[in-house]
Amino acid sequence: MNIVDFLANYFLFFFKLVTILVSLLLILIIIKGGKDLKKKKGAICFEDLSEEFDELKESYEDLISDEKSEEDEKASKKSEKKWWQFWKKKSESTEDEAKALPKLFVLDFDGDMAANAAQNLKQEVNAVLSVAKENDEVFVRLKSPGGVVNGYGLAAAQLERFKEKNFNLTVAVDEVAASGGYLMACVANKIVAAPFAIIGSIGVVAQLPNFHRLLEKYDIDYEQFTAGKYKRTVTMFGENTDEGREKFKEELEDIHTIFKAYVNQHRPQVNIDEIATGEHWLGSQALTLNLVDELQTSDAYLLSKLEAFRVIHVGYVERKTLRSSALKVLAKIQSRFSY
């Protein structure tokens, strides 16, 4: 056997060995993943933003303070040693005062077309309602271009739970709350928006391509079977009829009517016929239309509440399992070899 044959056989054996090891690893991951599904998929995290802001403020003050001389430093150390007990008692009393303050619970909703964030929102609402007390408030930083009706309807219903328990709810829009996003925002007792945030788009849209003529050109039949006259009104592959189109449009109009009624119910101060045209406006324009109550960024709002409230951020964090991590890696590997 020459050296070339030896190396070829060696690398073939090595490749087989690696393949077997990888296969065993994947089997273990799948088994472990099955067990992971029985465990909690995530957890609620509470973060004290008031405390973090105080620490950040102190660090900034130290950075911009004038440099001290050696004598000043010695005097400062003596003073710190002398008054240590005093400041310790004072800090303890300050912490007690902070704990006694009502809480402002901060939630974030970053929505996509499918309103996937509604599932995390449910967990966050459950957590807040389980610990919130009288005089506590809720603040939601909302960002969404809108999306599916049922998903955003559910998200809005989750926010309504705060109102049902008589908690004051404020929604802040820094960038966009359009269509389903505004469906959620309008639930709030107060809406604040940045001057150039996109607000509104109270309308309904649906669109789909139709390949019927293309299939017909190549003599391809498409068959669809339904029970119920309007089970399927328009399709991507079949021949759409005028009756089907009219019925589909009627369904969109029904959703739009319910959408308008919902906005009007929560914000009776708006002229619903004027703002429910599907148009969107910038925050400064939305203010004149009563779509929002105040021009302010979410950061400015939170800073204004730090003295009166203990600000607590609430977030649902999904737990990363070994199985999900492995599947992500495999997906990346597959994408590298896909053309």
Side-chain angles (χ1 to χ4, degrees), residues 48-51 53-54 97-98 100-106 135-141 168-172 189-192 294 296-312:
D48 194 331
L49 297 184
S50 292
E51 185 177 335
F53 178 79
D54 288 339
E97 289 175 4
L101 289 174
K103 298 177 182 63
L104 177 64
F105 294 100
V106 181
N135 297 325
D136 289 345
E137 297 186 7
V138 181
F139 181 67
V140 178
R141 293 183 288 203
N168 187 63
L169 171 64
T170 301
V171 166
N189 300 97
K190 181 179 181 181
I191 304 175
V192 300
E294 189 176 331
Q296 191 178 36
T297 64
S298 62
D299 296 320
Y301 181 89
L302 288 177
L303 288 173
S304 70
K305 294 290 183 178
L306 283 171
E307 292 187 5
F309 289 88
R310 184 181 174 197
V311 182
I312 306 292

Side-chain angles (χ1 to χ4, degrees), residues 314-338:
V314 183
Y316 181 75
V317 180
E318 293 186 355
R319 189 172 63 85
K320 291 183 178 180
T321 63
L322 181 62
R323 180 173 180 269
S324 63
S325 300
L327 289 175
K328 287 181 180 178
V329 171
L330 289 174
K332 288 182 179 179
I333 293 173
Q334 185 180 13
S335 65
R336 292 286 182 90
F337 294 96
S338 299

Side-chain angles (χ1 to χ4, degrees), residues 174-188:
D174 288 327
E175 296 183 40
V176 56
S179 197
Y182 190 77
L183 180 74
M184 291 178 63
C186 74
V187 175

Side-chain angles (χ1 to χ4, degrees), residues 67-108:
E67 293 185 3
K68 297 179 181 179
S69 64
E70 291 183 6
E71 293 181 358
D72 290 337
E73 287 182 0
K74 289 179 181 179
S76 178
K77 288 180 180 179
K78 288 181 180 179
S79 177
E80 286 177 6
K81 190 174 181 180
K82 183 178 180 180
W83 295 101
W84 170 248
Q85 293 297 329
F86 170 77
W87 287 113
K88 186 178 180 181
K89 291 181 180 178
K90 185 177 179 181
S91 63
E92 288 175 353
S93 63
T94 302
E95 288 179 4
D96 292 337
E97 289 175 4
K99 291 179 180 178
L101 289 174
K103 298 177 182 63
L104 177 64
F105 294 100
V106 181
L107 282 65
D108 289 308

Side-chain angles (χ1 to χ4, degrees), residues 213-227:
R213 284 184 292 180
L214 179 64
L215 297 178
E216 193 174 44
K217 179 179 178 181
Y218 291 99
D219 296 324
I220 300 173
D221 293 328
Y222 172 77
E223 297 185 15
Q224 179 176 264
F225 305 95
T226 61

